[in-house]
Amino acid sequence: MTNKPQGRRTCLYTPSQLDAIVTDMARQAAGLLTGRTQVAIVGILRRGAPLADRLQACLAETYGLVDCVRLDLQIKRYADDLTLLYPETRLTENPVHATLDLADHTVLAVDDVMYRGHSMLRAVEYLACRQPAEIRTVVLVDRGAAKLPVRTDIVGVRLDVAPTDVIECNVPPYEDSFRIDLLQPE
């Protein structure tokens, strides 16, 4: 990312620490998925998608969960952005998803940061219309500041930071290194 906001950045989690956290998130997910035969893993674009890929790879390698539906959703408002480009949270539907049947599936909706809950709530509403058996939410970071009726089922880390501070999840391929930084704007 070339135009990062200015301020003081502090690395909170390194790549090796985050690999261990994702492994633990996969362990939690495997527990929730015990006995489930139809699973869908949904990444919320942008950074939720590569996180969903990491989670799926760990579930396959460690727990033998290989036949998952894997798709991504694009949400047009991110509550953690410093500037909101859209007045409301909107989801862009991929035409391929129009006929998607998630009946009887357990769905894991994966995002990088839960802040106010706008993106996750929109994703859950969309997925609920596909009538899955259940929807579970998965986030790498929960800021503990959600204002909407959405909860996180699987959390990598909980970080309580000042409202003006920004949690930056750096996730390849969008950034070079898998890490979490705290940005304290100038």
Side-chain angles (χ1 to χ4, degrees):
M1 219 160 106
T2 54
N3 293 330
K4 284 193 171 192
Q6 295 301 306
R8 185 175 61 161
R9 277 186 179 72
T10 305
C11 178
L12 300 179
Y13 292 91
T14 65
S16 61
Q17 290 170 320
L18 286 179
D19 287 342
I21 287 167
V22 171
T23 298
D24 186 61
M25 291 169 67
R27 180 194 55 77
Q28 293 176 61
L32 288 176
L33 298 173
T34 300
R36 311 307 195 278
T37 56
Q38 294 181 294
V39 175
I41 301 175
V42 179
I44 299 174
L45 290 168
R46 289 193 347 166
R47 288 167 185 83
L51 286 171
D53 290 339
R54 285 173 182 263
L55 186 65
Q56 182 181 20
C58 192
L59 285 167
E61 182 180 317
T62 308
Y63 301 97
L65 188 65
V66 292
D67 293 326
C68 298
V69 172
R70 178 68 187 84
L71 58 109
D72 296 324
L73 296 178
Q74 182 171 5
I75 309 287
K76 289 276 187 149
R77 177 187 192 241
Y78 303 98
D80 230 359
D81 280 357
L82 296 178
T83 58
L84 297 177
L85 301 177
Y86 299 93
E88 61 187 48
T89 304
R90 295 183 295 174
L91 184 141
T92 302
E93 182 173 30
N94 182 330
V96 173
H97 301 165
T99 59
L100 184 64
D101 180 14
L102 292 177
D104 300 322
H105 282 73
T106 296
V107 177
L108 299 180
V110 182
D111 205 359
D112 61 340
V113 177
M114 169 74 81
Y115 184 37
R116 299 290 187 193
H118 294 281
S119 298
M120 188 62 80
L121 181 62
R122 186 66 189 101
V124 167
E125 287 173 338
Y126 174 82
L127 293 167
C129 291
R130 301 292 181 265
Q131 301 183 346
E134 64 182 318
I135 300 171
R136 299 297 187 138
T137 57
V138 181
V139 295
L140 183 60
V141 177
D142 187 335
R143 287 190 56 165
K147 299 294 184 194
L148 299 174
V150 65
R151 66 171 170 33
T152 51
D153 294 301
I154 297 172
V155 177
V157 294
R158 292 188 195 279
L159 297 174
D160 293 318
V161 298
T164 55
D165 292 348
V166 177
I167 298 297
E168 291 182 335
C169 288
N170 297 284
V171 183
Y174 300 111
E175 289 84 23
D176 293 334
S177 179
F178 189 32
R179 57 188 277 152
I180 295 175
D181 292 336
L182 172 68
L183 169 64
Q184 295 170 302
E186 296 176 335

